[in-house]
Amino acid sequence: MSGSPLSLANPRTRLAVILTTFFALVYLILAPGSSDSYVSPYPKPRTESWKSTANRWFGWSAGKTVEEVQHPIPKLMHEAQVNFRALITKQSKTLSAAVKEYKKRYKRDPPKGFDE
């Protein structure tokens, strides 16, 4: 059966199938008017800028633009720095002040080695 002229094992038949497939694909790709009749199932992408898209998505169109809206991370960083500086100013500067604060907070003497 492998000697049959219509078998793909036959080199001539294989070549004919390959060439026919190649020319059919070339015709489908390069045929005149083929791109005019094609209708895409997907909508065309918008051509608006990323700024107007961001304004629309995040509701910034009410008077604010992308440039005017501040990201929350810098604000949180600033608040953390302010809180840390306030904490440092309350920190005891001397050993006697630290012992006094310890006794006030825990109502007992500091442990052995507290001064080291």
Side-chain angles (χ1 to χ4, degrees), residues 63-110:
K64 290 187 174 184
T65 64
V66 174
E67 292 84 10
E68 295 171 342
V69 175
Q70 198 174 35
H71 198 273
I73 296 298
K75 181 181 175 189
L76 291 171
M77 289 171 55
H78 176 71
E79 289 175 3
Q81 285 178 343
V82 168
N83 292 339
F84 181 72
R85 286 184 186 131
L87 183 69
I88 294 296
T89 58
K90 292 188 228 175
Q91 187 176 11
S92 302
K93 306 286 188 253
T94 63
L95 178 61
S96 60
V99 169
K100 184 178 177 182
E101 179 65 27
Y102 188 92
K103 286 181 179 181
K104 177 182 157 191
R105 191 176 296 178
Y106 300 109
K107 297 180 182 27
R108 63 191 323 191
D109 289 336

Side-chain angles (χ1 to χ4, degrees), residues 7-115:
S7 170
L8 285 179
N10 186 341
R12 284 187 175 173
T13 305
R14 194 176 319 136
L15 179 63
V17 169
I18 291 172
L19 288 175
T20 303
T21 305
F22 173 76
F23 286 118
L25 288 174
V26 168
Y27 176 76
L28 288 174
I29 293 170
L30 300 177
S34 63
S35 61
D36 298 338
S37 62
Y38 176 72
V39 177
S40 174
Y42 305 106
K44 288 185 177 181
R46 296 179 184 224
T47 56
E48 63 185 340
S49 72
W50 69 271
K51 290 179 184 179
S52 58
T53 303
N55 288 337
R56 188 171 37 81
W57 282 357
F58 298 115
W60 294 335
S61 58
K64 290 187 174 184
T65 64
V66 174
E67 292 84 10
E68 295 171 342
V69 175
Q70 198 174 35
H71 198 273
I73 296 298
K75 181 181 175 189
L76 291 171
M77 289 171 55
H78 176 71
E79 289 175 3
Q81 285 178 343
V82 168
N83 292 339
F84 181 72
R85 286 184 186 131
L87 183 69
I88 294 296
T89 58
K90 292 188 228 175
Q91 187 176 11
S92 302
K93 306 286 188 253
T94 63
L95 178 61
S96 60
V99 169
K100 184 178 177 182
E101 179 65 27
Y102 188 92
K103 286 181 179 181
K104 177 182 157 191
R105 191 176 296 178
Y106 300 109
K107 297 180 182 27
R108 63 191 323 191
D109 289 336
K112 199 176 198 180
F114 184 77
D115 58 344

